[in-house]
Amino acid sequence: MPRDIPLGNGKLLVCFDKDYCIRDLYFPHVGQENHLNGNHCRFGVWADGEFSWVESAWAPDLKYAGATLVTRVVLSHERLGLRINCRDAVDFHENLYLRDIDVENLRPEPREIRLFFTHAFSILGNSVGDTAAHDPTTGGIIHYKDARYFLANAGTVDSPKPAQFAVGVVGMNGREGTFRDAEDGILSGNSIAQGSVDSVIAVHLKIGPDSGAKASYWMAAGQNWAEIRRLNDLVRHKGVENLIDRTSYYWRLWAEKETPPLEHLPEKVRDLYRRSLLVMGTQIDSEGGITAANDTDVVQFNRDTYSYVWPRDGALAANALDEAGYPLLAQNFYRFIAGRIESNGYFLHKYNPDGTLASSWHPWSLGGQLQLPIQEDETALVIWALWNHFVRYRDLEFIKPFYRPLIKNAAEFMVHYRDVETALPDASYDLWEEQRGIFSFTVGTVFGGLTAASLFCTVFGENEQAERYRRAASQIRDAASSHLWRPELNRFCRGLRRDGGGKLKPDPTLDASLWGLSAFGLYAADDPRIQSTMSALKEKLWVPTAVGGMARYENDSYHRVTDQVVGNPWFICTLWYADYLTEIACDEAGINEALKILEWVSEHALPSGVLPEQADPLTGHPLSVSPLTWSHAGFVSSTRRILNRLAEMKICPSCGVSAMPNVLKEHWMEKLFKQTCGTIRNMCGVK
């Protein structure tokens, strides 16, 4: 089930599903230590002797309020004559989840309404040894284990503490959980339990005819009892409504601090651009790690999650943040990832948000032969993205500590890790993490990474080293033209793999990632070979249903819905085609073709603006994890690319000034990258 609403501040991340249940709660790292482990924290309502859980009997409308990380949730129950309006936020500064509740009585008689809030913690990801206890000092319930403490509390104007509470055991001896105790409207008042536990608190509201009443609910996260009591005192002092307001102001300022000329874009695209930046912000840990996604329902698929830092996903997301004008978040990622590089100059598969090595399915040996369990594009893209950061912000002092241990170290690895027969980058796992071989996407990224490294050496005055990296890049370009271009197909192949006898065989599978051959400078987008390749991708991989969109590759089985179409549409793959259209556009009509794809993405986002990884090719419903950071990063990058191209097209031929000057700010080092790519291509013996 998608996570329709993520809220976070870099340390505390709270994720809601479509039924307005809290399903994930991460602390103190985004994506690490999910203290709910996919359990449901429910919201229930008792009225006129009848009880209902919001998830089962109400019509929820879950959206964000404007360009903020504050929700605008409307819950309606026509038969009960109630409407509940909620605003949720994670405080931008303190580790507090907050909910402001406005209950509307739609009937012409006075009523008592009781609101119930349940908590099903599995602290540190398991329910062994948890404790839940009523805290008479604060009036709330504290769940704790080791150095992880969570205090849940609620109140109204008339009663600043919960009117009822109960804690108990769940999942033992047939017990479903204390949440069942709420369904008669009366809680037992049991004050402590240990082991596998849950809890419920309730507030009571007296509401007049056709009027309303307010309640507040909050949850504090800390590492000791004193810390969560301090946070509870802060809520009592400032008030939930004021804390949500200040968080709303903060995120609105954050989202609008940069002012690209979005008025040139359709409204849906403008809105999703801002929303994508905000959603990306929720997926980034305060220590720099950019997680791929935080949706624990995917555990059912492979007993693991996406809550890790992939160097590739992180580099592309950091690059999008750089393009959008958020360099500090990108810098935090570069610091984080620089500390992970191996002494031999490569990155491993993925990392936990605290920097430790994460789970992997890439083996260190295969068939008795040693191999590196890497995806080389992850190493190359970090260097490529770092160069793009440098050309935008020219922060030499920031780059200096990375020059030798990261940039040159990775470049030396890319120079040496080459296939002896072809001079292409040696075999590694593909970006989809499924096969090992020499893949076109990886070749494109390594070319971009080596080009970036050569330019770093140039600006640092090491010209001989720069020339060495350029020469290696030109050899890779020659090899790509000789081995990856397949005249019999009239397009590039996905890659090369060795058969049982050690002979290289081309893989003719059409794969959307062939976009990578031009995205990082290896070939120009208007190269006839790229054009014929992209045309083949559009013809074969565009989903021929009313949903549309670009599939990942032919006969993709991951979360496959039906064999009637080539595969499920992926948002990043669809955006890659938009990027290609943008690059080859000669006029605004060409740009409009790319914009139609961005509008397609906007139309297939969740109502909250969240983008999943894939869409159902028959219904358009979200598939796999949601939100996917890469999907939002891709949307931001594609939008910026379109704005840049529009700015180029609007340059006045007389004065040379663009009608969109705040977009077109190409620095000499950006021009240098393009010129260097062209120089390397001209160095090549095979065109």
Side-chain angles (χ1 to χ4, degrees):
M1 182 180 292
R3 299 302 185 249
D4 292 50
I5 297 278
L7 300 169
N9 64 6
K11 292 185 177 180
L12 175 64
L13 173 64
V14 177
C15 302
F16 293 84
D17 65 18
K18 66 179 181 61
D19 295 323
Y20 197 45
C21 291
I22 299 176
R23 297 292 306 283
D24 302 293
L25 190 152
Y26 298 90
F27 174 80
H29 289 286
V30 170
Q32 192 167 348
E33 293 185 25
N34 183 0
H35 302 289
L36 296 183
N37 203 26
N39 294 336
H40 294 65
C41 288
R42 296 175 167 90
F43 182 23
V45 180
W46 179 95
D48 306 323
E50 182 177 344
F51 183 91
S52 62
W53 295 110
V54 164
E55 66 192 87
S56 60
W58 293 65
D61 179 22
L62 277 66
K63 293 185 174 70
Y64 290 97
T68 72
L69 283 177
V70 173
T71 72
R72 181 181 59 77
V73 175
V74 181
L75 308 167
S76 302
H77 198 303
E78 185 176 352
R79 186 173 54 79
L80 284 179
L82 291 172
R83 182 167 54 238
I84 302 177
N85 302 288
C86 298
R87 292 196 306 155
D88 304 84
V90 167
D91 188 78
F92 79 96
H93 183 62
E94 302 281 4
N95 295 317
L96 283 166
Y97 161 69
L98 308 152
R99 183 183 299 179
D100 182 52
I101 307 163
D102 187 358
V103 182
E104 297 180 55
N105 175 17
L106 305 180
R107 290 182 179 174
E109 65 267 1
R111 307 165 73 187
E112 180 184 5
I113 307 299
R114 302 176 186 176
L115 307 179
F116 292 81
F117 310 91
T118 78
H119 319 100
F121 285 98
S122 289
I123 298 176
L124 298 176
N126 67 82
S127 59
V128 177
D130 286 5
T131 297
H134 177 247
D135 178 22
T137 300
T138 62
I141 299 292
I142 293 178
H143 287 249
Y144 71 91
K145 179 166 62 185
D146 295 345
R148 300 291 180 264
Y149 285 73
F150 303 93
L151 184 151
N153 215 338
T156 66
V157 174
D158 297 328
S159 177
K161 294 183 179 181
Q164 300 184 71
F165 66 86
V167 301
V169 176
V170 59
M172 297 174 62
N173 301 319
R175 298 177 184 176
E176 291 185 77
T178 310
F179 74 95
R180 291 296 186 196
D181 188 23
E183 294 179 348
D184 62 358
I186 302 173
L187 297 175
S188 68
N190 186 50
S191 63
I192 193 165
Q194 60 86 31
S196 177
V197 296
D198 70 340
S199 68
V200 189
I201 57 175
V203 294
H204 297 180
L205 296 170
K206 301 286 188 180
I207 309 180
D210 297 310
S211 66
K214 294 182 70 66
S216 298
Y217 169 74
W218 62 94
M219 191 184 302
Q223 299 192 25
N224 54 63
W225 201 298
E227 173 64 8
I228 55 175
R229 280 182 169 172
R230 180 191 70 81
L231 291 171
N232 188 78
D233 289 343
L234 177 67
V235 176
R236 297 281 192 205
H237 173 66
K238 289 187 174 292
V240 165
E241 190 171 5
N242 288 332
L243 289 170
I244 291 176
D245 284 344
R246 79 172 190 177
T247 297
S248 177
Y249 293 140
Y250 174 83
W251 286 116
R252 184 172 287 110
L253 177 62
W254 185 90
E256 297 178 354
K257 75 179 186 71
E258 300 295 327
T259 55
L262 297 176
E263 66 273 10
H264 294 271
L265 306 176
E267 183 179 3
K268 286 185 176 180
V269 174
R270 298 198 300 265
D271 291 345
L272 188 56
Y273 176 81
R274 298 289 192 203
R275 177 55 50 208
S276 289
L277 286 169
L278 287 161
V279 171
M280 287 173 66
T282 68
Q283 307 299 299
I284 301 174
D285 185 68
S286 62
E287 294 185 9
I290 300 178
T291 57
N294 294 288
D295 174 354
T296 50
D297 281 357
V298 77
V299 168
Q300 301 168 18
F301 186 77
N302 63 359
R303 300 307 300 167
D304 208 340
T305 72
Y306 281 38
S307 295
Y308 301 112
V309 182
W310 274 265
R312 168 185 49 255
D313 297 40
L316 292 171
N319 182 63
L321 291 165
D322 275 330
E323 291 173 337
Y326 295 83
L328 295 183
L329 286 174
Q331 286 181 349
N332 283 345
F333 169 75
Y334 297 129
R335 290 190 191 96
F336 171 91
I337 206 65
R340 313 280 82 78
I341 196 165
E342 297 292 312
S343 59
N344 290 334
Y346 55 82
F347 292 107
L348 291 170
H349 186 179
K350 52 191 169 79
Y351 302 90
N352 294 310
D354 67 358
T356 55
L357 189 63
S359 60
S360 178
W361 51 90
H362 297 336
W364 289 82
S365 66
L366 192 64
Q369 299 295 315
L370 296 178
Q371 65 176 28
L372 280 179
I374 65 169
Q375 302 159 43
E376 192 180 359
D377 66 285
E378 298 202 284
T379 300
L381 283 172
V382 169
I383 308 307
W384 170 85
L386 190 60
W387 170 258
N388 280 278
H389 171 86
F390 182 48
V391 300
R392 282 177 176 82
Y393 301 106
R394 279 87 72 188
D395 43 5
L396 188 62
E397 293 80 7
F398 173 73
I399 293 295
K400 180 182 175 183
F402 304 136
Y403 179 55
R404 291 188 182 278
L406 174 60
I407 297 166
K408 292 182 67 176
N409 197 12
E412 288 298 314
F413 173 77
M414 289 187 282
V415 167
H416 290 103
Y417 193 68
R418 310 262 292 283
D419 178 72
V420 174
E421 179 182 342
T422 65
L424 289 167
D426 209 348
S428 68
Y429 285 90
D430 67 342
L431 80 161
W432 308 130
E433 310 182 310
E434 296 174 340
Q435 302 182 64
R436 193 169 188 270
I438 299 170
F439 294 98
S440 290
F441 180 85
T442 305
V443 173
T445 61
V446 170
F447 177 90
L450 281 171
T451 302
S454 74
L455 290 168
F456 272 122
C457 289
T458 298
V459 298
F460 275 90
E462 294 194 89
N463 294 320
E464 289 185 10
Q465 199 78 323
E467 175 61 24
R468 182 163 165 267
Y469 296 153
R470 282 196 294 271
R471 190 163 53 250
S474 71
Q475 293 166 356
I476 288 171
R477 186 13 167 89
D478 272 346
S481 297
S482 296
H483 298 283
L484 297 176
W485 170 254
R486 310 305 300 183
E488 70 275 16
L489 300 173
N490 193 34
R491 60 176 172 82
F492 287 98
C493 63
R494 174 161 70 170
L496 308 169
R497 301 180 68 194
R498 294 195 181 276
D499 61 18
K503 185 176 181 180
L504 279 174
K505 297 285 188 181
D507 179 354
T509 305
L510 281 163
D511 190 313
S513 68
L514 285 164
W515 161 84
L517 287 169
S518 63
F520 310 102
L522 180 61
Y523 296 97
D526 60 1
D527 187 303
R529 291 167 295 183
I530 293 296
Q531 292 184 323
S532 62
T533 299
M534 297 304 293
S535 294
L537 292 177
K538 178 63 160 54
E539 180 180 354
K540 185 68 175 180
L541 297 185
W542 196 266
V543 176
T545 67
V547 174
M550 185 80 81
R552 191 166 60 149
Y553 56 77
E554 294 178 273
N555 300 314
D556 183 5
S557 63
Y558 186 59
H559 290 281
R560 186 157 192 175
V561 171
T562 175
D563 292 336
Q564 298 173 15
V565 297
V566 66
N568 304 330
W570 282 56
F571 286 89
I572 55 170
C573 299
T574 307
L575 288 164
W576 290 343
Y577 190 70
D579 292 345
Y580 165 70
L581 293 178
T582 302
E583 289 300 314
I584 64 170
C586 299
D587 51 30
E588 290 192 42
I591 290 295
N592 287 336
E593 291 302 306
L595 268 176
K596 288 177 184 178
I597 293 180
L598 268 62
E599 289 184 278
W600 177 91
V601 173
S602 304
E603 290 163 1
H604 289 83
L606 276 66
S608 62
V610 160
L611 291 175
E613 179 181 68
Q614 311 171 44
D616 187 307
L618 304 179
T619 67
H621 294 159
L623 289 176
S624 188
V625 297
S626 171
L628 184 75
T629 308
W630 195 354
S631 295
H632 286 285
F635 191 85
V636 169
S637 289
S638 294
T639 303
R640 300 295 302 198
R641 187 172 280 108
I642 284 175
L643 288 174
N644 287 335
R645 289 289 285 131
L646 281 173
E648 291 170 358
M649 293 175 182
K650 292 179 181 293
I651 293 176
C652 174
S654 300
C655 65
V657 176
S658 174
M660 299 165 62
N662 54 335
V663 176
L664 197 61
K665 296 179 179 178
E666 187 172 61
H667 188 262
W668 68 269
M669 286 189 285
E670 290 182 85
K671 294 179 182 177
L672 182 61
F673 185 86
K674 295 176 183 177
Q675 292 168 357
T676 303
C677 287
T679 299
I680 293 172
R681 291 197 292 265
N682 291 332
M683 290 168 59
C684 297
V686 181
K687 301 299 181 186

